[in-house]
Amino acid sequence: MNLKTELLGDYQPRASVYPKTNAKGIKEFYINYYLPGRKKRVGRFLSRSKTEAKKLMRLKETKLMRFEFDDFDLSRIPEGYLSNLRKPRITLDEALDRYMMVTSYNRRAQTNKNTYSVIKTHMVKLGCIFVDEVTPEKAHRMVGMLKSEGLSDATILSYVIHFRSFFKSLIEIIQLVDIDNPFKTVKTPPKSSKISSRVARKEDIAKILQVERLSCREGVPIIPLVRFLIYTGCRLGEAIHAEWEDFDLEKGIWNIRIKSECPTLRNEGWAPKNKKPRVIPLDDRALEVLESLPRHEKTWGSVRDEGKTVYRRGNFIFTSRKKVEIDGVKAFRQLRIVNQKRAWENLLKEAGVQDMQIKDIRSYFNSVLINDLQFSHKQAGAYVGNSELVNHAHYTAVSLDEMIPKLKAGKDVWIQPGM
């Protein structure tokens, strides 16, 4: 038995509705009900509609049975009962700090930073100070504001998931409030909006592979980097954090592993997505890309340490040459790639390819495994680092251009009239 039940004993709301004519001769409907510690009922206005008044009465009676009292009620409950009924109100800011403390161990530092930023930035749209003020109506209104800002469906879906998890933890884990999750009924965009379903066209991949050098200055080794992505289907982060010791070139094996000492920007080491390592065989063309690259004696990775950028030794494969200061000496060094965006745009321009993202290469590679090499989704997922379900749903887009010739080529398999 909880404290409230023990304190209130046999308390029963027993609410009822009664009519009352006001000074202007208009009939109005009031509710009266008992409160803990009071022998007399309290009364308050409900509505001029009898039907609406009865609905509001039933709603109030339900809340009273849950020991949910508003300010009107609390002001009329005797002090001896009141001290045990009134909970300190928690602000959204306080709740967010509690939420981050409880859940941060499940996320990386940057993910925690992004999660905090999203909730902190957009909870002002709820128009509330305290957690218990947030209602489904205000949650829906917040989503409407996000849509009016022109945000994509994928972004809105991400934000709603953040807020839904935030309130779920406040209610079920931290137990700060006794309310229903206000984001539970918010209609979200389809999950498919989060994933690009585009697959790079084979002719565009061919155009990219024809580019031997860029007409502009080549800082980032974008040509071998992109060719490596085309022949492995790996994630961009897996490629730019790859080090020579991750490979057994004689056996043609790549060990995509957790590397706690790898110098990364956030100084956390490096790990593949979801911290799931894998070992994959490499195609001869991927090996040719690796063998064509120079092996630099010293390579460096930039790390943010106490607000400053410092450089630490690594053995990276894909690097660019930049002049930086290390140990007081300013000189040109081979640095791990940090940003390849401009180099990628220059490569597309040189190849005459438009409207293509670098992640589309991964979908292309996956489609080759499934459609051309007859990999199962389980095999393809194991190779590129997806679960079978994710690989099937998100990374093997359907191409109309591929369906049409297959339908025409298979005309003889159909049952014909008269057969």
Side-chain angles (χ1 to χ4, degrees):
M1 182 180 293
N2 62 39
L3 178 62
K4 288 181 180 179
T5 304
E6 185 177 356
L7 175 69
L8 301 180
D10 296 329
Y11 164 68
Q12 294 293 333
R14 296 204 298 271
S16 61
V17 169
Y18 64 94
K20 186 177 179 180
T21 303
N22 64 20
K24 296 182 179 180
I26 300 174
K27 183 183 287 187
E28 298 175 330
F29 293 89
Y30 284 70
I31 183 175
N32 60 23
Y33 53 89
Y34 288 105
L35 286 172
R38 285 184 61 101
K39 294 182 178 180
K40 293 184 178 180
R41 293 179 177 231
V42 296
R44 60 200 294 189
F45 170 76
L46 281 182
S47 173
R48 290 181 177 176
S49 165
K50 184 176 181 179
T51 302
E52 183 182 11
K54 286 188 175 181
K55 289 181 180 179
L56 292 174
M57 181 206 71
R58 286 192 290 269
L59 179 61
K60 181 63 179 178
E61 200 169 60
T62 300
K63 288 185 176 182
L64 291 172
M65 292 179 70
R66 295 176 181 171
F67 309 118
E68 296 177 13
F69 304 101
D70 57 25
D71 291 339
F72 177 90
D73 299 330
L74 293 173
S75 67
R76 288 159 176 78
I77 296 176
E79 187 61 36
Y81 291 81
L82 192 59
S83 58
N84 289 302
L85 289 173
R86 182 182 283 130
K87 278 188 175 182
R89 301 187 79 186
I90 307 296
T91 67
L92 285 167
D93 285 331
E94 292 170 330
L96 178 56
D97 290 338
R98 295 275 295 274
Y99 171 69
M100 297 304 299
M101 288 175 62
V102 169
T103 62
S104 60
Y105 69 92
N106 280 329
R107 313 185 195 96
R108 294 184 179 184
Q110 186 61 35
T111 307
N112 275 321
K113 184 178 179 180
N114 294 339
T115 299
Y116 182 87
S117 177
V118 166
I119 298 175
K120 178 73 172 179
T121 300
H122 297 288
M123 68 184 183
V124 297
K125 295 181 174 67
L126 293 169
C128 301
I129 296 176
F130 298 99
V131 176
D132 57 16
E133 293 178 323
V134 183
T135 62
E137 178 185 0
K138 292 174 181 177
H140 281 262
R141 187 173 62 192
M142 188 198 89
V143 174
M145 292 180 185
L146 295 175
K147 291 180 179 179
S148 68
E149 292 175 5
L151 299 179
S152 68
D153 282 348
T155 300
I156 294 172
L157 172 61
S158 174
Y159 290 176
V160 170
I161 290 173
H162 275 304
F163 274 89
R164 190 173 288 162
S165 298
F166 172 48
F167 278 94
K168 183 177 181 180
S169 292
L170 297 184
I171 296 165
E172 299 180 8
I173 300 174
I174 310 174
Q175 297 184 349
L176 284 182
V177 286
D178 185 18
I179 61 174
D180 290 330
N181 192 328
F183 282 83
K184 185 177 181 179
T185 61
V186 172
K187 185 177 181 181
T188 58
K191 290 185 178 180
S192 59
S193 64
K194 280 187 73 82
I195 301 293
S196 169
S197 60
R198 294 186 303 179
V199 175
R201 299 186 305 168
K202 291 183 178 180
E203 49 266 41
D204 288 338
I205 295 293
K207 290 178 182 178
I208 290 173
L209 290 173
Q210 288 172 5
V211 178
E212 297 292 338
R213 59 172 300 172
L214 300 181
S215 56
C216 58
R217 185 175 69 88
E218 297 183 43
V220 173
I222 192 67
I223 294 175
L225 173 61
V226 168
R227 290 186 177 187
F228 188 73
L229 297 176
I230 290 173
Y231 296 137
T232 63
C234 68
R235 298 179 176 91
L236 178 62
E238 293 171 345
I240 64 177
H241 290 96
E243 298 177 271
W244 286 109
E245 55 266 31
D246 300 337
F247 295 87
D248 185 333
L249 297 181
E250 290 186 4
K251 295 181 179 179
I253 298 296
W254 182 11
N255 183 9
I256 304 174
R257 59 194 176 91
I258 297 172
K259 300 185 290 187
S260 58
E261 300 301 320
C262 182
T264 54
L265 191 60
R266 293 184 292 275
N267 197 21
E268 299 173 348
W270 184 85
K273 187 173 182 180
N274 298 323
K275 295 185 178 180
K276 292 184 178 179
R278 65 188 190 278
V279 178
I280 59 172
L282 294 177
D283 181 84
D284 289 342
R285 284 159 291 196
L287 291 170
E288 288 175 6
V289 172
L290 294 176
E291 290 166 357
S292 71
L293 293 169
R295 291 202 184 194
H296 300 285
E297 182 180 352
K298 294 181 180 180
T299 64
W300 307 81
S302 59
V303 174
R304 293 293 292 175
D305 188 8
E306 296 182 354
K308 297 181 180 180
T309 300
V310 297
Y311 298 91
R312 294 180 181 164
R313 286 286 300 275
N315 196 18
F316 297 108
I317 292 174
F318 297 102
T319 62
S320 58
R321 189 169 181 263
K322 291 185 178 180
K323 196 172 188 178
V324 296
E325 183 177 332
I326 301 177
D327 296 330
V329 178
K330 200 167 188 178
F332 282 100
R333 325 269 183 167
Q334 292 299 137
L335 304 182
R336 170 182 49 78
I337 297 171
V338 175
N339 191 329
Q340 78 297 323
K341 183 178 179 181
R342 181 175 294 180
W344 168 247
E345 292 172 350
N346 290 336
L347 176 59
L348 291 183
K349 184 177 180 181
E350 195 80 35
V353 175
Q354 297 180 345
D355 191 29
M356 181 175 169
Q357 300 179 53
I358 203 164
K359 66 179 181 179
D360 296 339
I361 295 174
R362 179 171 164 83
S363 299
Y364 160 77
F365 180 85
N366 212 334
S367 71
V368 171
L369 293 184
I370 299 295
N371 299 321
D372 299 331
L373 301 182
Q374 303 301 307
F375 274 49
S376 68
H377 282 290
K378 185 174 183 179
Q379 292 171 327
Y383 193 96
V384 298
N386 294 330
S387 69
E388 181 179 2
L389 179 62
V390 167
N391 203 67
H392 186 278
H394 295 163
Y395 287 95
T396 309
V398 176
S399 169
L400 292 178
D401 292 338
E402 292 179 356
M403 282 195 276
I404 293 172
K406 287 182 179 181
L407 283 171
K408 290 182 177 179
K411 62 182 180 180
D412 294 334
V413 305
W414 301 104
I415 297 176
Q416 304 296 328
M419 292 179 63

